[in-house]
């Protein structure tokens, strides 16, 4: 590893379990005596509950309890379960689920109804009736920009003199961009199943992207020792970020289970998934840019204003990319958040960057057009091998090669630079491209390796797999270090009792957990060497001059297996280099001039993400990310009727995600060059870059097709017709 | 779950008599709309009369046309050789709707009776005159992107969501219904109604009546057809605007033409004036444009659906162009 050797494309090691139903998701665990929780949610957006009538619900058949703010059991360590560090920027009120009669957002839970069957709980929930004292609410960011505040994280940034650059730059542009509320909507619904043993020990099956994080949250909430909180989440049916928190209603269910002394399961409804498990925040952005006539960037100003909740300041790196992506002497970025009477946002695939890249990469295209330059050439012209923000070299950066490979594959030379010039029948044809970037993070992670007498190798780490194929990648890493056959290696995850790892987020799992697997397997080699054994030809063999094999050596030392646990994290190289993963997206679109319909016809996506550890699942990641990007570009939007503060399209019939017919052939290209510094495998993250920037590639292609610049996502037919 | 009784019947007569036993009772066909409405608390029948075993699923030729039983599945209709031969527009419209899974369950009668997809109608926490008369119209001044530009009222701007009904309107279909007082026929254009002051009433079917069949008169001259559905994604989305066209050409002249639109009104919207204008004229884009212009004279939009004032005429023109072209290929 860390070499030029390419990895084999492996099928998913758990693929069979997933398609045969053997893989169990949290809601599928059968627990004797389990009871079912249904949430009753607020119909108003801000105010207080005046009365809440639970009598009919309590009397309904099968009902065990109805919890409201009047009788919710106290949660001992519950400062603010949404986010213990939350400091509302407005000095707003704290949100404690069922903690008071206050309503802070539409769809907020106002009661938990628990019954012996799901249907009975649902029926009883429909009998809970609340009356409210409504207060005026604010959910429209555009009407509340005066409340925009600089958050604690992501302060202003400036290098050079942007104002001066703007005055002197011969070519300038200024444009505003909007990214709407988007909702993760993984297939699997969110929730938790909690089983207490007495008052001090609890087991949960949860939909979470971090079993350790859920363990910490629950241990904190119930003042338990972490070892007394078992968290299981072996399989997760997609997360895209919504599983990075253990949400207040989930903590409340654990509290209810303790009170009732019965296992309680909550599976949220699809509608509740639109309000209670975060979303990509509505964000408006302004970019102004100056360049020389030869295309050299002189200045970029990028300001983003995003929504957050009145009770919790959510922040993300929306303007980060602008600081380092291009060689530009004068750069200013500002990031503001506006507290609204809405549920709190959360990271959604490509958090921050996906929003920022839509603006920056659209603006770059606009500028390239202004200076009469090919957008690829324009980017190459402003390419930098040193991160101008941190003044450090990139650990690796093969963007130039990526531009070239992608251009060739899509047939960029066929692109006519004049908008609206190419037709296919009635349809206008356009080509567009963009760049995506995300930090190549590596966190601390631990792995235990156990080599059994039969030669099977078991690796364990408390990480998650929300779909990218984590186990497959880990098995592949272990296979490449030890040479053992794939079939002999098993990776175990999704249990908080395993050696600790971070949550699956920020595209860091292969880098973090993979490094621990790598280190554990290397250490295992040492253990074997000490015992006179060695990995050779895909098996454990006696070392040179020895004759005893693995079973004999183990038997002689009275052991059943060899084991070693290794913790792994980055070293000083993390400080020395600027580490990012890059993607280039090329899209060919068709736009119908009369109906405004946009179809993505062909996609080429190039990932410069170091050495590719698992080529097949990596390609799936890119395809999935681009598919999400098509949704972001053309259809995804959570619509809020601000008169009511309520989302109106909170179902999958009205909130559109791409269907098969929307997704063309997606060609994936990997640079597949090891990064010398990122980690022992030379890999960098992929999950985020697969989506980041893609929406701009589509918007740019739409411009090339029509001459219309759509700066407000999603690009729906009405916007094309009105532009 | 809310309690309700359920009875399955095997004849139209039994269906009608079972329905009369409870004033909230409803027929259950494919259930693809009704069950969703029950789950969201919009419709709360205390009795369901399952009519799926009533033998009304036949599709057969009569002397003057094609008769389609009210319980024929959408898929069966879309794929039927007689439909494909005589009424390709109907097949195209059906296949543009919903998903294969839904079409396998959905029936012709249920499709006609399906209710609007207006968000305010579905969300019981929001006002809607159609669901809760007198509560106000949430869509007016709200999220009205999907809403009507023809025949709306200040009580309701919802649209009828069906694709199939657009084709049946264009094709001059006639509906047969039967009730306690016997059988009657309703021409398709008079089945659905405009909202006026009573948007809670979708159509002219009387309480207690069962739809039994739809007859489409043969008009084999109208072989050049196109159903154009403009939507937010390539499949599985309701129409922003749709247009169904069936026409015949003599040389380059339009001998006969039928046009109807979906996604623009509380009922499938027949374009009689445009048809009359086009008859006998050369099939040129200028004439299509003029036909569209005539149609749009009555259009009125909210802020959210103002784009339909451009999209609707464009869709008419494009559907006419494609229908006129398909016979020439
Ligand atoms: C996600 C989704 C997407 C969809 N997309 C589309 C689309 O793009 N285009 C489109 O056109 N449709 C679409 N539909 C709607 C679908 O076409 C209808 O749900 C379906 O046609 C209803 O038929 P059904 O037999 O299931 O009716 P049911 O749900 O069983 O009944 C609907 C109503 O009709 C009444 N009824 C049924 N049969 C009779 C009868 N014989 N006489 C009198 N009353 C009767 C019932 O009492 C009930 O009130 C979609 C539906 C869903 C759920």
């Amino acid at each position: 590893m860390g070499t030029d050797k390419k990895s084999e494309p492996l099928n998913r090691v758990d693929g069979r379990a997933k398609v045969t139903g053997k893989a169990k998701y949290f809601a599928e665990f059968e627990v004797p005596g389990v009871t079912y929780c249904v949430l009753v949610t607020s119909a108003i957006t801000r105010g207080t509950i005046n009365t809440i009538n639970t009598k009919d619900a309590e009397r309904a058949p099968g009902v065990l309890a109805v919890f409201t703010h009047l009788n919710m059991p106290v949660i001992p360590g519950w400062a603010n379960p949404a986010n213990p560090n939350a400091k509302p920027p407005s000095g707003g009120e704290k949100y404690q689920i069922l903690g008071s009669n206050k309503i802070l957002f539409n769809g907020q839970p106002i009661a938990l109804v628990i019954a012996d069957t799901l249907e009975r709980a649902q029926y009883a929930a429909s009998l809970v009736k609340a009356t409210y004292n409504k207060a005026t609410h604010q959910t429209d960011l555009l009407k509340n920009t005066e409340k925009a505040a600089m958050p604690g994280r992501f302060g202003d940034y400036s290098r050079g003199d942007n104002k001066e650059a703007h005055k002197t730059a011969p070519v300038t542009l200024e444009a505003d961009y909007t990214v709407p509320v988007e909702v993760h909507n993984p297939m699997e619904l969110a929730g938790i199943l909690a089983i207490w043993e007495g008052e001090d020990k609890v087991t949960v099956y949860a939909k979470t992207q971090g079993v350790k994080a859920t363990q910490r949250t629950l241990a904190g909430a119930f003042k338990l020792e972490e070892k007394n909180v078992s968290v299981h989440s072996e399989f997760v049916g997609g997360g895209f970020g919504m599983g990075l928190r253990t949400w207040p209603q989930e903590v409340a269910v654990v509290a209810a289970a303790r009170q009732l002394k019965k296992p309680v399961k909550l599976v949220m409804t699809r509608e509740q998934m639109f309000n209670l498990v975060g979303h990509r925040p509505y964000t408006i952005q302004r970019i102004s840019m100056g360049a020389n006539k030869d295309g050299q960037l002189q200045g970029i100003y990028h300001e983003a204003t995003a929504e957050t909740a009145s009770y919790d300041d959510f922040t993300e790196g929306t303007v980060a990319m602008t600081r380092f992506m291009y060689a530009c002497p004068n750069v200013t970025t500002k990031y503001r958040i506006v507290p609204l009477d809405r549920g709190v946002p959360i990271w959604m695939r490509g958090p921050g960057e996906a929003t920022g890249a839509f603006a920056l990469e659209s603006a770059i295209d606009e500028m390239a057009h202004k200076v009469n330059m090919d957008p690829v050439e324009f980017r190459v012209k402003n390419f930098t091998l040193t991160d101008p923000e941190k003044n450090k070299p990139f650990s690796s950066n093969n963007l130039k090669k990526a531009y070239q490979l992608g251009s060739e594959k899509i047939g960029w030379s066929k692109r006519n630079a004049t908008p609206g010039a190419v037709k296919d029948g009635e349809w206008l044809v356009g080509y567009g491209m963009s760049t995506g970037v995300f930090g190549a993070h590596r966190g601390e992670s631990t792995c235990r390796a156990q080599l059994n007498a039969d030669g099977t190798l078991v690796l364990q780490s408390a990480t998650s797999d929300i779909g990218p194929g984590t186990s497959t990648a880990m098995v592949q890493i272990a296979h490449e270090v030890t040479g053992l056959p794939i079939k002999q290696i098993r990776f175990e995850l999704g249990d908080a009792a395993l050696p600790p790892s971070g949550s699956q987020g920020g595209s860091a799992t292969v880098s973090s957990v993979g490094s621990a697997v790598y280190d554990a397997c290397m250490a295992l080699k040492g253990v074997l060497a000490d015992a006179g054994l060695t990995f050779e030809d895909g098996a454990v063999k006696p070392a040179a001059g020895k004759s005893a094999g693995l079973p004999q050596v183990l038997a002689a030392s009275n052991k059943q297996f060899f084991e070693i646990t290794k913790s792994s994290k980055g070293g000083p190289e993390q400080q020395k280099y600027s580490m990012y993963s890059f993607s280039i997206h090329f899209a060919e679109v068709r736009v119908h001039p009369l109906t405004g319909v946009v179809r993505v016809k062909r996609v080429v996506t190039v990932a410069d993400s170091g050495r590719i550890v698992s080529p097949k699942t990596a390609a799936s990641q890119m395809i999935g990310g681009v598919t999400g990007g098509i949704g972001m570009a053309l259809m995804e939007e959570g619509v809020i009727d601000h008169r009511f503060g309520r989302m109106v399209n909170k179902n999958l019939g009205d909130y559109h995600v791409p269907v098969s017919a929307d997704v063309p052939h997606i060609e994936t290209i990997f640079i597949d060059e090891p990064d010398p510094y990122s980690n022992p495998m030379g890999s960098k993250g992929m999950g985020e870059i697969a989506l980041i920037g893609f929406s701009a590639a589509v918007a740019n292609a739409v411009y090339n097709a029509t001459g219309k610049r759509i700066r407000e996502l999603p690009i729906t037919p009405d916007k094309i017709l009105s532009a | 779950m809310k309690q309700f009784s359920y009875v399955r019947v095997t004849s139209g007569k039994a269906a009608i008599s079972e329905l009369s036993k409870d004033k909230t009772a409803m027929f259950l066909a494919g259930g693809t709309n009704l069950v969703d409405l029950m789950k969201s608390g919009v419709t709360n029948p205390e009795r369901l009369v399952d009519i799926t075993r009533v033998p009304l699923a036949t599709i057969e030729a009569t002397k003057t046309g094609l008769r389609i039983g009210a319980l024929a599945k959408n898929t069966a209709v879309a794929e039927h050789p007689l439909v494909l031969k005589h009424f390709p527009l109907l097949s195209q419209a059906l296949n543009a709707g919903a998903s294969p899974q839904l079409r396998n369950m959905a029936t012709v009668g249920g499709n006609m009776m399906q209710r609007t997809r207006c968000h305010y109608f579905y969300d019981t926490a929001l006002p809607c005159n159609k669901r809760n008369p007198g509560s106000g119209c949430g869509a007016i001044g709200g999220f009205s992107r999907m809403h009507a530009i023809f025949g709306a009222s200040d009580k309701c701007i919802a649209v009828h969501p069906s694709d199939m009904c657009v084709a049946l309107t264009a094709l001059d279909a006639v509906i047969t219904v039967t009730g306690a007082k016997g059988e009657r026929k309703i021409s398709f254009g008079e089945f659905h109604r405009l909202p006026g002051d009573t948007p809670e009433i979708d159509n002219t079917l009387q309480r207690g009546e069962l739809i039994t069949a739809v007859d489409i008169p043969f008009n084999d001259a109208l072989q050049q057809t196109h159903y154009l559905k403009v939507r937010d994604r390539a499949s599985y989305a309701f129409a922003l605007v749709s247009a169904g066209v069936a026409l015949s050409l003599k040389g380059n002249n339009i001998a006969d033409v039928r046009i109807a639109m979906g996604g623009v009104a509380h009922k499938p919207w027949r374009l009689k004036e445009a048809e009359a204008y086009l008859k006998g004229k050369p099939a040129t884009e200028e004439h299509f444009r003029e036909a569209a212009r005539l149609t749009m004279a009555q259009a009125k939009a909210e802020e959210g659906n103002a784009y339909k004032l451009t999209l609707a005429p464009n869709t008419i023109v494009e559907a006419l162009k494609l229908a006129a072209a398909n016979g020439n290929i």
Side-chain angles (χ1 to χ4, degrees):
Chain A
M1 305 216 101
T3 67
D4 287 339
K5 194 169 157 272
K6 306 288 181 220
S7 293
E8 292 294 311
L10 263 198
N11 288 335
R12 282 174 192 261
V13 295
D14 46 13
R16 175 175 276 271
K18 285 186 173 179
V19 297
T20 55
K22 193 167 161 250
K24 269 196 184 175
Y25 295 79
F26 90 88
E28 297 178 307
F29 284 87
E30 282 171 35
V31 177
V34 69
T35 65
Y36 298 83
C37 176
V38 168
L39 305 174
V40 182
T41 60
S42 164
I44 69 157
T45 301
R46 188 170 186 93
T48 49
I49 299 168
N50 188 12
T51 61
I52 184 155
N53 185 341
T54 57
K55 286 214 182 67
D56 292 344
E58 279 157 4
R59 275 193 227 111
V63 172
L64 300 160
V66 179
F67 293 109
T68 68
H69 64 282
L70 298 171
N71 63 343
M72 181 66 199
V74 170
I75 298 166
W78 208 354
N80 185 342
N83 179 356
N85 304 318
K87 273 187 216 78
S90 58
E93 316 181 32
K94 213 153 70 170
Y95 168 50
Q96 287 199 345
I97 184 174
L98 306 183
S100 77
N101 66 346
K102 291 193 176 112
I103 301 297
L104 300 181
F105 61 96
N106 204 299
Q108 176 184 323
I110 57 168
L112 311 179
V113 178
I114 296 160
D116 58 353
T117 71
L118 175 64
E119 290 76 12
R120 286 171 147 181
Q122 281 169 337
Y123 176 59
S126 76
L127 302 175
V128 174
K129 297 283 180 250
T131 60
Y132 305 94
N133 296 317
K134 272 195 216 178
T136 51
H137 61 257
Q138 299 297 335
T139 56
D140 189 350
L141 182 134
L142 295 176
K143 296 215 169 102
N144 288 277
T145 46
E146 83 283 356
K147 291 187 199 142
M150 185 160 80
R153 289 178 72 206
F154 300 112
D156 293 352
Y157 167 85
S158 203
R159 72 167 173 266
D161 185 346
N162 212 11
K163 278 214 181 88
E164 191 51 36
H166 265 271
K167 264 187 247 151
T168 54
V171 189
T172 57
L173 73 79
E174 184 170 277
D176 292 343
Y177 301 88
T178 304
V179 173
V181 169
E182 289 166 12
V183 186
H184 311 68
N185 273 316
M187 286 269 236
E188 184 196 23
L189 297 165
I192 200 160
L193 162 57
I195 309 130
W196 286 86
E197 279 169 52
E199 292 271 292
D200 302 319
K201 215 163 167 237
V202 67
T203 297
V204 299
Y205 296 87
K207 180 185 178 79
T208 175
Q209 291 177 231
V211 284
K212 290 301 284 183
T214 297
Q215 184 186 49
R216 275 193 302 275
T217 301
L218 294 177
F222 296 96
K223 297 204 159 158
L224 302 174
E225 284 185 61
E226 281 185 17
K227 68 173 173 36
N228 288 337
V229 180
S230 303
V231 180
H232 299 277
S233 185
E234 195 184 345
F235 293 98
V236 180
F240 308 116
M242 53 67 49
L244 287 168
R245 272 193 187 175
T246 304
W247 295 94
Q249 59 275 14
E250 294 167 342
V251 179
V253 165
V254 179
R258 174 145 94 168
Q259 175 95 354
L260 289 174
K261 302 188 173 20
K262 281 188 170 35
V264 181
K265 172 155 79 177
L266 167 72
V267 179
M268 284 171 230
T269 64
R270 183 56 69 183
E271 180 176 329
Q272 288 162 357
M273 297 283 286
F274 282 80
N275 285 320
L276 292 175
V277 291
H279 55 272
R280 195 191 295 285
Y282 181 95
T283 305
I284 54 173
Q285 298 175 78
R286 165 154 299 179
I287 289 198
S288 50
M289 202 177 262
N292 292 343
K293 289 211 168 92
D294 66 355
Q296 193 67 58
L297 279 169
Q298 286 306 314
I300 312 177
Y301 173 83
H302 186 176
E303 179 184 319
T305 308
E307 64 162 325
T308 186
S310 67
Y311 57 87
D312 189 353
D313 57 346
F314 171 77
T315 58
E316 55 182 5
T318 309
V319 294
M321 174 180 182
T322 302
R323 300 174 180 176
F324 63 80
M325 194 63 214
Y326 296 106
C328 179
N330 307 294
V331 172
T332 302
T333 66
K334 285 187 181 166
Y335 174 71
R336 298 288 181 269
I337 51 176
V338 176
L340 295 174
D341 299 317
R342 295 256 300 131
V344 69
I346 186 120
W347 306 284
M348 179 164 162
R349 197 171 191 176
E353 308 280 16
T355 300
F358 169 63
L360 179 66
E361 289 298 296
S362 294
I364 289 282
D365 194 80
E366 298 196 35
M367 185 52 100
H369 196 78
K370 279 201 162 192
V371 298
N372 244 324
M373 230 171 136
D374 181 284
V376 175
E377 252 173 68
F378 185 90
R379 286 172 172 86
V380 172
K381 171 129 196 148
N382 290 288
F383 173 80
T384 173
L385 256 181
T386 329
D387 173 340
E389 178 191 7
K390 301 197 186 97
N391 275 316
K392 293 174 188 175
F394 289 114
S395 57
S396 64
N397 180 334
N398 299 292
L399 274 171
K400 281 189 176 171
K401 187 170 172 194
Y403 289 129
Q404 183 210 331
L405 290 178
S407 300
E408 280 167 12
K409 197 69 182 185
I410 195 92
W412 188 252
S413 56
K414 287 193 306 242
R415 171 181 177 272
N416 188 324
T418 313
V422 183
K423 278 192 151 192
D424 173 12
E426 296 221 347
W427 295 77
L428 296 162
V429 180
Y431 289 83
M433 56 85 55
S434 71
T435 312
V437 64
F438 199 79
H441 303 298
R442 173 177 177 190
E444 184 167 1
S445 187
T446 315
C447 174
R448 174 175 175 270
Q450 172 181 322
L451 182 67
N452 296 318
D454 62 0
T456 53
L457 174 62
V458 180
L459 303 152
Q460 298 174 318
S461 186
T463 186
S464 307
D465 182 359
I466 56 173
T470 303
S471 297
T472 308
M474 298 308 148
V475 166
Q476 194 137 0
I477 290 167
H479 160 71
E480 289 181 18
V481 177
T482 63
L484 290 177
I486 300 289
K487 283 215 163 69
Q488 254 165 261
I489 309 173
R490 196 170 79 238
F491 183 71
E492 293 179 357
L493 79 176
D495 178 345
L498 296 174
S501 273
S503 296
Q504 185 159 58
S507 303
T509 302
V510 166
S511 203
S512 314
V513 184
S515 296
V517 168
Y518 180 93
D519 287 357
C521 289
M522 291 299 280
L524 189 60
K525 280 186 174 177
V527 171
L528 290 189
D530 293 345
L533 294 164
T534 183
F535 288 118
E536 202 185 304
D537 297 336
V540 182
K541 301 231 168 114
K546 303 275 179 184
S547 58
L550 175 62
Q552 292 85 354
V553 175
L554 280 172
S557 53
N558 229 344
K559 281 188 187 153
Q560 299 208 286
F561 47 74
F562 287 117
E563 68 173 315
I564 179 109
T565 299
K566 271 285 180 197
S567 184
S568 174
K569 64 174 175 189
E573 76 286 349
Q574 299 280 332
Q575 300 313 315
K576 241 167 112 184
Y577 297 96
S578 173
M579 297 191 182
Y580 288 97
S581 223
F582 303 96
S583 59
I584 316 284
H585 304 291
F586 288 87
E588 180 190 331
V589 303
R590 296 282 183 283
V591 183
H592 198 284
L594 284 186
T595 61
V597 167
V598 180
R599 297 267 180 265
V600 179
K601 202 65 187 168
R602 218 152 60 89
V603 173
V604 173
T605 184
V606 192
D608 175 20
S609 54
R611 188 173 172 282
I612 300 305
V613 165
S614 173
K616 191 165 180 180
T617 52
S620 299
Q621 267 292 66
M622 294 305 286
I623 291 167
V626 166
T627 303
I630 292 174
M632 180 175 186
L634 298 182
M635 58 195 86
E636 288 190 49
E637 177 177 17
V639 179
I640 294 149
D641 186 329
H642 296 301
R643 298 170 305 168
F644 305 102
R646 193 167 170 90
M647 199 178 275
V648 288
N649 61 340
K650 46 195 176 314
N651 63 74
L652 287 179
D654 295 316
Y655 180 98
H656 294 139
V657 296
V659 295
S660 297
D662 293 298
V663 184
H665 180 63
I666 298 165
E667 197 119 24
T668 57
I669 298 176
F670 296 110
I671 301 293
D672 202 359
E673 298 265 357
D675 182 303
Y677 310 105
S678 59
N679 57 46
M681 293 82 63
S683 71
K684 297 194 283 189
M686 295 208 28
E688 326 291 334
I689 55 159
L691 181 141
I692 293 168
F694 188 77
S695 59
V698 174
N700 296 339
V702 166
Y703 176 75
N704 182 238
T706 63
K708 294 179 182 192
R709 212 30 107 175
I710 311 296
R711 300 187 183 88
E712 192 178 335
L713 294 179
I715 306 170
T716 43
D718 47 336
K719 290 186 187 143
I720 298 274
L721 291 180
S722 312
Chain B
M1 192 144 151
K2 195 171 143 57
Q3 300 288 324
F4 60 87
S5 68
Y6 167 93
V7 56
R8 182 191 277 162
V9 295
T10 52
S11 75
K13 222 173 160 176
I16 293 160
S17 101
E18 285 296 335
L19 195 85
S20 69
K21 291 183 184 165
D22 183 320
K23 63 181 190 313
T24 70
M26 292 182 81
F27 295 130
L28 177 72
T32 61
N33 190 215
L34 183 53
V35 174
D36 277 0
L37 290 165
M38 289 170 70
K39 284 197 277 192
S40 44
V42 175
T43 306
N44 300 296
E46 276 162 32
R47 185 173 181 76
L48 284 184
V49 181
D50 180 345
I51 56 173
T52 50
R53 306 297 158 93
V54 178
L56 284 174
T58 315
I59 303 170
E60 61 191 351
T62 64
K63 274 192 206 118
T64 54
L66 188 68
R67 167 160 278 228
I68 301 171
L71 285 159
K73 302 284 190 191
N74 285 186
T75 302
V77 179
E79 291 175 358
H80 199 280
L82 289 173
V83 173
L84 288 167
K85 176 155 182 250
H86 298 286
F87 307 106
L89 182 66
L90 176 58
S91 177
Q92 290 157 10
L94 278 164
N95 283 330
S99 66
Q101 293 90 332
L102 282 158
R103 296 196 296 269
N104 287 341
M105 289 300 289
T107 63
V108 167
N111 193 318
M112 285 158 51
M113 295 292 290
Q114 67 170 299
R115 308 214 66 192
T116 185
R117 308 304 290 201
C118 175
H119 311 82
Y120 300 88
F121 176 71
Y122 269 82
D123 188 340
T124 54
L126 296 177
C128 171
N129 286 326
K130 185 182 274 299
R131 172 174 35 79
N132 184 11
S135 62
C137 172
I140 295 175
F143 183 60
S144 55
R145 188 168 169 269
M146 304 297 292
H147 290 72
I149 51 170
F150 294 118
S153 74
D154 60 357
K155 299 279 188 301
C156 178
I157 59 170
V159 299
H160 193 263
S162 169
D163 292 299
M164 177 194 83
C165 293
V166 174
L168 290 175
T169 303
L171 296 169
D172 293 319
V174 175
I175 302 159
T176 303
V177 306
T178 174
K181 288 184 222 144
E183 201 173 87
R184 68 184 180 110
K185 300 214 181 276
I186 310 169
S187 74
F188 212 92
E190 268 144 42
F191 183 75
H192 298 98
R193 61 185 290 282
L194 292 177
D197 287 336
T198 50
E200 66 277 17
I201 307 170
D202 288 352
N203 53 54
T204 53
L205 191 76
Q206 298 297 308
R207 165 105 209 128
E209 284 180 325
L210 175 75
I211 303 167
T212 54
V214 178
D215 287 277
I216 321 175
F218 285 133
N219 190 344
D220 278 356
L222 295 173
Q223 271 292 323
Q224 287 182 235
T225 65
H226 195 85
Y227 188 75
L228 179 62
K229 182 176 181 185
V230 183
R231 44 186 153 174
D232 284 329
R233 61 182 168 192
S235 174
Y236 203 28
F238 288 95
L240 298 168
V241 168
S242 69
V245 171
L247 56 77
S248 60
L249 293 177
K250 230 184 223 135
N252 192 36
N253 278 11
I254 298 170
D256 201 0
V257 60
R258 303 277 185 281
I259 317 168
M261 299 188 82
V264 292
H266 199 256
K267 58 187 287 187
W269 198 247
R270 180 77 181 263
L271 275 54
K272 286 248 162 102
E273 204 180 343
E275 292 172 9
Y277 168 79
L278 286 170
K279 248 175 238 173
K281 295 214 171 55
T284 62
E285 186 154 350
E286 292 70 36
H287 291 130
F288 299 158
R289 243 322 132 197
E290 180 57 17
R293 199 191 59 78
L294 288 171
T295 305
M296 295 306 293
Q298 316 155 51
K300 203 175 139 254
E302 287 273 304
E303 192 185 324
N305 61 356
Y307 73 96
K308 288 192 182 182
L309 300 179
T310 311
L311 179 58
N314 284 358
T315 306
I316 297 170
V317 171
E318 185 64 14
L320 281 163
K321 277 204 290 199
L322 290 166
N326 92 8
N328 299 338
I329 302 165

